Amino acid sequence: MTLQLTTAGESHGPALVAILTGLPAGLVLDREAIDADLRRRQEGYGRSPRQRIETDRVEVLAGLRHGRTLGTPLALVVQNRDHANWSWGMSPWPPEGEPSGKGTKPVTVPRPGHADLAGALKYGLADIRDALERASARHTAAAVAAGAVAKALLRAISIEVEGLVATEDLERRIDEARDERDTVGGLVEVRARGVLPGLGSYATKEDRLDARLAAALMGIQAVKGVEIGDGFALAGRRGSEAHDEVEGPGLGRRTNRAGGIEAGVSNGEEIVVRAAMKPLPTLMRPLQTVDLETGEPAEALVERSDVAAVEALAVVAEAAVAFELARAAREKFGGDSLGDFVGAWRAYLDRIPWQRTP
Ligand code: EPS
């Protein structure tokens, strides 16, 4: 039994879609809680005017009845309101009538740092828009909706996940960058409390919780670095200052340098992960590139974009960590109904002499 997520959707296409399989039956979902996470993702300093067009809300097409999961695939949809301005340019079928609105002219000047060049070469595209639309971080709205469902499942076994910005002085850096028509990145941190020992496994690298969390975070647009616990700093320390001594009958730790994971398995301490986001690649003062149509030097594509999306990343990273922890918990505790799942969790807690540190 495992949880899986498939998403579909382009930034200015009709909608974003998320299909979750492997949820137990009987999990109560709160529409307002999912929408609240979608709202949090849209907020934040330095976001694009696009966010004034969108008001992200979840719609459910399948897998839910009267607010309870059925144990069948859950199909979620988030509409792209901006699609109304791109209905010709992003029409799924050959568009009818004269070109109108946005996205009617092919993009041929790739932005360094975006999917543009690699996507055009890989897929043999004459219009870079065919690459950038799916690569866009707009897609993270679908992941956040799925993450909100994962958080509801985790709450049933007393796990709470929270993402925060870990960059200081972010607003000032954003103001300065905007004035200079530039962009900035930053750091976010996600903490998961109440994670019991034993999620993930050292059996194979695919099972390792640290590898899975790293992949989940690295899979988010613009993330270039991931750290677990004291991460890179551990490389410069001695063993006596790098590990977490065990104490008391509850098997707690004095420190948490490992970030709650040892040998790819949760150890009962808080899970702490960080992700580094690069500055966004759409610059109002464009970088140099080559026009793929003419082969001549050119300036990269300039289009409406964010100056920063670090606060959004904190919400998206929270969703990604929640989804991966929920997946690991489904693997460990299984069950077709929520009652089975929670029952297996309780039985396991009864078996191990671990006590959650307050
Ligand atoms: C993005 C470019 C911008 C961002 C977008 C990600 O889109 P647009 O060109 O429509 O203004 O706003 O993020 C979102 C739309 C979102 O909802 O997060 C990109 O190129 O990655």
Side-chain angles (χ1 to χ4, degrees):
M1 173 58 65
T2 191
L3 195 60
Q4 297 287 359
L5 171 64
T6 302
T7 69
E10 281 72 44
S11 179
H12 306 99
L16 307 167
V17 179
I19 297 185
L20 287 85
T21 55
L23 286 167
L27 176 67
V28 174
L29 296 184
D30 174 0
R31 185 177 198 171
E32 188 36 50
I34 301 175
D35 285 345
D37 276 353
L38 290 173
R39 226 173 8 254
R40 284 171 65 215
R41 193 201 69 90
Q42 286 199 268
E43 290 165 359
Y45 205 62
R47 292 287 263 151
S48 147
R50 169 80 185 270
Q51 299 309 327
R52 294 201 283 270
I53 300 172
E54 304 297 343
T55 313
D56 293 340
R57 284 191 204 292
V58 74
E59 292 166 33
V60 178
L61 296 190
L64 198 68
R65 181 162 183 252
H66 301 173
R68 283 175 187 272
T69 56
L70 298 173
T72 56
L74 179 72
L76 309 178
V77 171
V78 178
Q79 300 288 342
N80 288 324
R81 293 183 179 214
D82 200 20
H83 180 64
N85 303 312
W86 297 72
S87 56
W88 194 97
M90 286 302 294
S91 169
W93 296 106
E96 290 174 4
E98 288 305 304
S100 66
K102 296 186 166 186
T104 55
K105 292 201 186 77
V107 177
T108 60
V109 280
R111 290 161 295 176
H114 214 295
D116 305 359
L117 180 58
L121 296 176
K122 178 176 168 65
Y123 293 99
L125 309 174
D127 183 354
I128 286 169
R129 183 155 301 286
D130 287 353
L132 70 88
E133 281 287 332
R134 175 61 181 168
S136 164
R138 169 72 188 148
H139 155 254
T140 57
V144 166
V149 174
K151 286 199 295 180
L153 183 65
L154 290 174
R155 226 167 277 128
I157 54 171
S158 298
I159 295 175
E160 295 284 340
V161 186
E162 187 184 14
L164 297 165
V165 170
T167 294
E168 287 177 13
D169 244 359
L170 185 62
E171 291 201 3
R172 184 185 55 77
R173 292 179 62 230
I174 292 172
D175 285 339
E176 286 173 2
R178 189 191 293 104
D179 287 349
E180 290 161 31
R181 294 187 295 144
D182 217 327
T183 58
V184 290
L187 271 182
V188 302
E189 182 171 283
V190 183
R191 291 176 172 260
R193 298 185 186 88
V195 180
L196 66 174
L199 295 189
S201 172
Y202 42 76
T204 71
K205 65 182 164 50
E206 289 78 17
D207 294 327
R208 284 182 175 259
L209 190 61
D210 42 7
R212 292 164 60 160
L213 291 175
L217 291 168
M218 201 59 110
I220 302 170
Q221 287 81 348
V223 170
K224 289 299 255 186
V226 175
E227 183 174 66
I228 305 210
D230 286 1
F232 281 81
L234 290 172
R237 290 191 203 150
R238 293 211 173 159
S240 54
E241 290 156 5
H243 300 292
D244 305 307
E245 290 183 303
V246 184
E247 61 183 2
L251 307 179
R253 307 299 178 103
R254 297 197 175 116
T255 52
N256 185 21
R257 294 148 172 164
I261 303 175
E262 289 167 315
V265 186
S266 63
N267 67 6
E269 297 302 302
E270 192 173 49
I271 297 218
V272 185
V273 296
R274 273 179 290 277
M277 182 183 220
K278 68 184 179 184
L280 303 176
T282 309
L283 302 184
M284 296 305 129
R285 197 175 51 190
L287 298 175
Q288 284 301 300
T289 189
V290 170
D291 189 324
L292 298 185
E293 202 178 10
T294 63
E296 296 296 322
E299 290 193 335
L301 172 68
V302 179
E303 64 174 30
R304 175 191 67 190
S305 194
D306 308 293
V307 178
V310 186
E311 287 170 272
L313 176 63
V315 180
V316 177
E318 172 186 300
V321 168
F323 195 86
E324 207 47 50
L325 291 177
R327 207 157 76 84
R330 286 299 284 144
E331 285 159 20
K332 181 146 179 62
F333 302 120
D336 292 317
S337 75
L338 187 69
D340 295 346
F341 174 73
V342 173
W345 167 73
R346 282 218 181 89
Y348 175 69
L349 278 186
D350 285 347
R351 172 169 79 69
I352 58 171
W354 170 76
Q355 265 167 22
R356 185 180 168 167
T357 33

